[in-house]
Amino acid sequence: AIYYFPDVRKLLAEVRRLLRPNGVFLLATANKDLFDFNPSPMSHAYYNPPELRSLLGQFGFASISFFGGSAVPPVGLKSRVFRQLKRLAVRFNLIPGSMAGKRFLKRLVFGALVPMPVELKAEGVKVEEPVEIPADQPDTKHLVLYCVARKG
């Protein structure tokens, strides 16, 4: 959750200091380049692959690779309309800033929450492997971005 750090440069300097030579830094972050992305009100900054590559390079990281996880599923007409409405709500700052407000809005739009089972079973769960994505352009096909960087 790099986006929650108020000073990412300070974080990266500390990561670099702590890593051994050729140590590997793994990072997962939300994808800010999605059509209907809604930033957390507690976040400070989100980065896409080109921005992260540039930032990590400034701190001496090398062999920087990016992967996309949780592919954005194809959507039907209802979902496309909803995504447009969500995009407008984000653009005009209509999404509540508090978790209680977000919970209320989700219940209003989606109905009652479905209770989670006490224990989740791994059987029948499809695991999607992250796929390598270009480092020189934003990604709009995955919900999560992963970065692997080696200390130079």
Side-chain angles (χ1 to χ4, degrees), residues 5 7-20 25 59 61 151:
F5 284 89
D7 188 346
V8 172
R9 300 181 74 75
K10 193 174 182 180
L11 167 73
L12 294 177
E14 185 66 4
V15 168
R16 176 154 173 72
R17 185 184 74 80
L18 293 173
L19 278 178
R20 294 178 182 186
F25 177 44
F59 285 86
F61 288 95
K151 181 178 176 179

Side-chain angles (χ1 to χ4, degrees), residues 31-129:
N31 188 352
K32 72 171 188 161
D33 292 315
L34 294 178
F35 176 78
D36 57 350
F37 176 71
N38 179 27
S40 165
M42 307 301 280
S43 65
H44 294 277
Y46 292 87
Y47 302 90
N48 63 22
E51 294 164 342
L52 269 175
R53 182 178 67 171
S54 173
L55 189 61
L56 290 166
Q58 292 171 30
F59 285 86
F61 288 95
S63 312
I64 304 168
S65 302
F66 292 91
F67 300 85
S70 301
V72 175
V75 293
L77 178 61
K78 180 180 172 184
S79 291
R80 283 197 299 264
V81 169
F82 182 74
R83 287 176 74 189
Q84 290 288 350
L85 291 173
K86 181 181 174 191
R87 182 179 188 200
L88 288 172
V90 169
R91 183 175 181 190
F92 292 107
N93 203 25
L94 299 174
I95 305 284
S98 71
M99 292 308 290
K102 286 185 179 189
R103 209 171 13 257
F104 172 77
L105 183 61
K106 285 180 181 178
R107 285 196 178 155
L108 185 67
V109 172
F110 298 114
L113 298 176
V114 177
M116 291 290 289
V118 175
E119 184 178 339
L120 297 175
K121 306 282 185 192
E123 297 90 35
V125 175
K126 183 183 172 201
V127 176
E128 181 184 321
E129 295 285 328

